[in-house]
Every structure is written in structure tokens, then in C-alpha cells.
Amino acid sequence: MITNTELEYKGDLYPSNIVEFKKDVDSVYFYTDNSVILKITVLRDSLIRFRYTTKGYFSKDFSYAIDKTQSHGYNFLEVTEEKTCYKIKTSKVVCSIDKIDLRVAIHDIEGTCILEDELGFHWEESYHYGGNIVKMSKASKEGECFYGMGDKASHANLKGKRVENWATDQYAFSKDQEPLYKVVPFYIGLHHKHAYGVFFDNTFKTTFDFCHEKRNVTSFWADGGEMNYYFVYGPQMQDVVTTYTHLTGKPELPPLWALGYHQCKWSYYPESKVKEVTSKFRELKIPCDAIYLDIDYMEGFRCFTWNKEYFPDPKRMVAELADDGFKTVVIIDPGIKIDKEY
């Protein structure tokens, strides 16, 4: 595991001084004399994308996460050059880019620092996988709290924690155990009544350190891919969440039954046990709209099969449960079993 101490190892590489910049509609490019390019794109006045490359050009832009149907646009965009930095100003924030080392600082219009780089962007060659391990470190403010990252078996405030994003079928996990099932590389920072969000759009194994290794440093890194993240400004937490969902998309409105109570555990079988549970709900007049069947309904844990001993006639059973007001939900795993008999 990479630690923040290792992040400072002399083998790490850093951007050097800016030698050129250009503006192209909603994007500003900064070029350094060691072939690093930073592309900053203003999607909204409070939504800014930061994309880095170390090879002098960008690979094809692609994302599984971004909702391309969402509309974007800003009210104001101004780029200015000062003695020590460049500044990108919208109606909500001012983003400063240091000419010497490409470090970034973001302030609100009143001048309050919302988020700023500590070491900022840096990288090291990955001897194991090839390519680069891409890293980012931010300075944490006094009293700052951190929330998000999906379902983590920890406190709501992640300060002092290190979390890992590597989707794993982790049955019976314990407190603070990593990694887990869900991967959501997005967090909300909150300090001095100002909230912001960071979404790290990278499909490699990623790690987030919320002042765990260093008291006043928050960092995130990936085993490969690009350093490609989005900054979302609030200032309220609900503003951050709203803008984030505009970026990644909102779920479709589910059917009404999906909003009801669902009964689920590992595992209900055979059919008689399923009927016993559902009948008891109706007997006790406890509202319930769905019953779940875990992997034991399968024949030898093979996807798309039914165990005929436990469930001799699944179609009939599902129809009878539907007549009793239950939707039947069966688990399906993305992995297909390696089995000569399958």
C-alpha cells in the first residue's frame, strides 16, 4: 500500500514551471517544460474539471460515469495572468494556478480558500502495471470534515481514515474493513460552513487518505489512468450533491413497489421456507413488497439456473407470490462459474 510518506519519496515526479497557456472556449490549457499539461474545463460556475497528462498529449477522453445528456453552461468566465499565477474566475469561484509548480488553489468570490493543493499533482512510474501511479494531495483546513465514498463501514465523518476503492465481494465484513462492495470515488469536504465536492473519475484501484497519514493533508491516488477529477462548489452540502448528480446523472424513477419494504437475507430456501416467511408477513399484517432469494436458489451457484430440489417450479412459485403481493428478486452475480458441467 502506498503511504503519504512514499508520496514524498524522491522518486516521485512533479510538474515544473508553466511555459505556455491557451484558452479554448470553456477550457484552459497549461503546458510545463517537462511535458505536463493541465486542462481545466469550466462546466458550470461551480463545477470545474481538472485533467492532467505527463506525456505531452491527452489520450482519448472517455468516462463510464459522466452523464453526457446533462446540460452544462456558465454565467461568467475570465482568465487573467498575474506575476506568479494565472487566475480563472467564474461567478462563484476563483481558481489560481501557480506558474512555478502548477499547484492549484480555489477561493470563493469573497476570498475564502475552499480547497488548495499541498504537493498537488505528482506521479511515479508503475513498475508492476506499467504507466504511472497518479497522485494528488490537498491541504486540509482546521476542523474540516469529510463525508461520502459510498457505503463504508466507518464513521460518517471520514477524517482520520484511509479508504480503498476496489469492488470486492466481502461477506461478513467488520468495522473499518476495506475494501467493500461499492466503489464511489466522491467525497464532500466541509469547513467553516463551506462545502465542496471532489469526484475522482478513474477506473483503476484508487485510495483516499483523509488526514490519516498526515494530520493536515488529504490525498488520493490511482494505480494507473489519468489524474482526472471534478471540483464541485456548494457552499451548502445540498448544492454539492445537486451539482454532482447533474454531472453523473440521476436514477430513473423506480416503480412504486421498489419504494416499499423488502425482506432480504442470506438465504431463504427451499420454497416452503420462502412461503413460510411471506405468509407470516401477511398474517401479522406487516407491509412487505418484495422477497429476496440469495445464491442458494441456484444449481451449484451457477448463474441463470434454479435448484430443482429446492425450487421445483420457479414460474409457479413466482406467480403465487405475485398473487400474494410480493415481487420476487433473485440475486445474480457478474461472475460466471468455471464449471465443466455448466
Side-chain angles (χ1 to χ4, degrees):
M1 178 176 287
I2 303 166
T3 67
N4 280 34
T5 303
E6 290 171 321
L7 290 178
E8 296 181 349
Y9 181 66
K10 63 183 179 181
D12 278 2
L13 300 172
Y14 300 82
S16 56
N17 60 294
I18 297 173
V19 294
E20 181 187 357
F21 92 99
K22 69 177 183 180
K23 182 178 181 294
D24 182 17
V25 191
D26 60 355
S27 297
V28 187
Y29 296 80
F30 299 94
Y31 303 83
T32 73
D33 65 3
N34 64 342
S35 299
V36 175
I37 306 175
L38 166 59
K39 179 183 179 182
I40 299 179
T41 303
V42 178
L43 289 89
R44 297 188 176 198
D45 294 77
S46 57
L47 177 59
I48 303 176
R49 181 187 184 188
F50 295 85
R51 188 183 181 199
Y52 297 80
T53 181
T54 63
K55 53 192 178 184
Y57 64 92
F58 285 103
S59 300
K60 183 181 179 181
D61 194 11
F62 174 78
S63 173
Y64 289 102
I66 303 304
D67 183 359
K68 296 185 182 302
T69 68
Q70 294 292 320
S71 61
H72 297 295
Y74 50 83
N75 295 311
F76 178 78
L77 175 58
E78 178 184 74
V79 182
T80 58
E81 180 178 359
E82 300 188 359
K83 184 176 181 180
T84 61
C85 67
Y86 295 92
K87 288 190 175 181
I88 300 172
K89 184 177 182 180
T90 75
S91 66
K92 297 289 184 66
V93 296
V94 179
C95 177
S96 303
I97 303 92
D98 196 295
K99 290 183 175 181
I100 297 299
D101 53 16
L102 213 60
R103 286 195 294 175
V104 171
I106 302 174
H107 296 73
D108 68 9
I109 296 302
E110 285 71 38
T112 301
C113 184
I114 306 301
L115 183 64
E116 61 182 332
D117 287 352
E118 186 239 5
L119 294 176
F121 171 62
H122 48 295
W123 72 97
E124 67 171 297
E125 184 180 354
S126 174
Y127 295 108
H128 187 66
Y129 298 111
N132 290 326
I133 300 169
V134 292
K135 312 171 184 177
M136 175 62 65
S137 62
K138 302 290 187 182
S140 176
K141 302 300 180 185
E142 194 68 31
E144 187 166 8
C145 299
F146 303 95
Y147 306 96
M149 304 302 297
D151 297 334
K152 295 296 184 182
S154 188
H155 301 289
N157 181 7
L158 296 171
K159 189 167 187 176
K161 304 291 184 180
R162 172 177 289 173
V163 299
E164 190 175 293
N165 285 324
W166 188 245
T168 303
D169 190 0
Q170 189 61 262
Y171 168 68
F173 55 85
S174 58
K175 185 177 182 295
D176 291 324
Q177 186 170 337
E178 292 281 3
L180 299 181
Y181 295 93
K182 189 182 292 185
V183 172
V184 184
F186 169 72
Y187 71 88
I188 296 175
L190 176 66
H191 63 85
H192 303 97
K193 298 183 179 180
H194 289 81
Y196 68 90
V198 170
F199 171 54
F200 185 19
D201 191 4
N202 183 302
T203 58
F204 283 73
K205 180 180 180 181
T206 61
T207 308
F208 288 72
D209 187 298
F210 298 101
C211 307
H212 173 79
E213 189 74 21
K214 282 188 173 181
R215 182 173 177 270
N216 294 315
V217 177
T218 295
S219 54
F220 49 92
W221 59 92
D223 285 349
E226 286 187 347
M227 175 50 62
N228 172 32
Y229 73 94
Y230 294 79
F231 167 84
V232 185
Y233 180 56
Q236 303 300 316
M237 291 184 73
Q238 57 263 38
D239 300 327
V240 175
V241 173
T242 297
T243 302
Y244 170 68
T245 57
H246 281 309
L247 177 67
T248 58
K250 298 175 175 63
E252 294 184 10
L253 186 66
L256 189 61
W257 68 266
L259 303 178
Y261 177 76
H262 295 195
Q263 182 63 26
C264 175
K265 71 180 285 288
W266 183 26
S267 180
Y268 299 120
Y269 67 95
E271 179 182 334
S272 58
K273 184 64 177 179
V274 177
K275 291 292 187 65
E276 177 187 338
V277 172
T278 55
S279 297
K280 199 66 175 178
F281 269 95
R282 295 297 178 248
E283 177 188 334
L284 298 176
K285 298 184 178 177
I286 299 174
C288 186
D289 288 301
I291 183 77
Y292 283 61
L293 305 183
D294 213 301
I295 56 176
D296 296 287
Y297 80 87
M298 300 177 185
E299 180 65 44
F301 307 125
R302 302 179 182 98
C303 291
F304 311 112
T305 66
W306 286 83
N307 184 309
K308 294 301 183 182
E309 179 184 350
Y310 296 155
F311 300 97
D313 190 348
K315 187 174 182 179
R316 172 192 51 75
M317 181 190 71
V318 171
E320 290 173 355
L321 289 170
D323 290 340
D324 201 17
F326 289 91
K327 298 289 186 179
T328 304
V329 181
V330 297
I331 188 174
I332 194 72
D333 286 314
I336 303 300
K337 185 179 182 181
I338 299 175
D339 185 342
K340 292 181 180 180
E341 304 299 319
Y342 179 27

